[in-house]
Amino acid sequence: EIMMTQSPATLSVSPGERVTLSCRASQTVANSLAWYQQKPGQAPRVLIYGASTRATGIPARFSGSGSGTEFTLTISSLQSEDFAVYYCQQYNNWPSLTFGGGTKVEIK
Amino acid sequence: QLQLQESGPGLVKPSETLSVTCTVSGDSISTPDYYWGWIRQTPGKGPEWIGSIYFSGRAHYNPSLKSRLIISIDRSKNQFSLRLTSVTAADSALYYCARQSEVEIDYWGQGTLVTVSS
């Protein structure tokens, strides 16, 4: 089973700052990597798939990069509505999936 | 607009069987473009994929749950279901149903909370 590790667990950030979240796979997943945002009381929402393709309706301030085992989600200028938990998820052996443990982005 | 709605027991006793059903509205579950999946989540942890099923009935399971798990589909009712046997407290979670394309989970239900307790 492919394990996904996210860092850091928590990130304290001020609005307007640039944010970089990391995700590492225990073995290569090529570019079969998605990022999700989850707010309290809501289901996760997809932001990025294919490691770098924004999902429908996702603002351009969200961008993804990486391939193989190392991936990054960048938020160029954090808005108030972006404070949430972010999960990476691999689908290299679709429909089997594995999620990371999440990074919580909180207000500094 | 596609909607998914879970229905579950709320409370299940240890060693018994957990059954949850997802009703899909706004589109046919018989579309060949998607898998229909189950995902669970406990507070403060990342989601855990449970398994997924295709309209043909072909199912894929999380290896850690496979021995206790059956996922089925009822195309006439536009529903799919999860059955997990011999539950323990570790199976207490928020259970989501979802639609999976090849690259993303694009629709989720609101989730149903299941607690395993005597």
Side-chain angles (χ1 to χ4, degrees), chain B residues 3 7-9 14 33 35 49 62 94:
Chain B
Q3 291 187 317
S7 55
D33 299 325
Y35 267 81
W49 176 72
N62 185 321
L94 185 62

Side-chain angles (χ1 to χ4, degrees), chain B residues 30-80:
Chain B
S30 299
T31 175
D33 299 325
Y34 301 98
Y35 267 81
W36 303 92
W38 289 101
I39 293 153
R40 68 183 183 181
Q41 189 173 26
T42 53
K45 291 192 172 182
E48 178 184 28
W49 176 72
I50 298 170
S52 303
I53 192 163
Y54 198 48
F55 79 100
S56 63
R58 180 175 183 180
H60 295 256
Y61 298 140
N62 185 321
S64 69
L65 299 170
K66 188 175 183 178
S67 64
R68 301 191 289 129
L69 180 62
I70 294 176
I71 295 175
S72 59
I73 193 165
D74 187 335
R75 291 160 59 183
S76 67
K77 294 182 179 178
N78 229 37
Q79 293 177 334
F80 60 106

Side-chain angles (χ1 to χ4, degrees), chain A residues 94-95, chain B residues 2 4 24 27-37 52-58 73 80 98-107:
Chain A
W94 182 86
Chain B
L2 183 72
L4 296 90
V24 179
D27 196 6
S28 171
I29 203 170
S30 299
T31 175
D33 299 325
Y34 301 98
Y35 267 81
W36 303 92
S52 303
I53 192 163
Y54 198 48
F55 79 100
S56 63
R58 180 175 183 180
I73 193 165
F80 60 106
R99 189 178 82 168
Q100 288 178 249
S101 73
E102 283 193 39
V103 296
E104 62 182 346
I105 301 170
D106 57 357
Y107 284 92

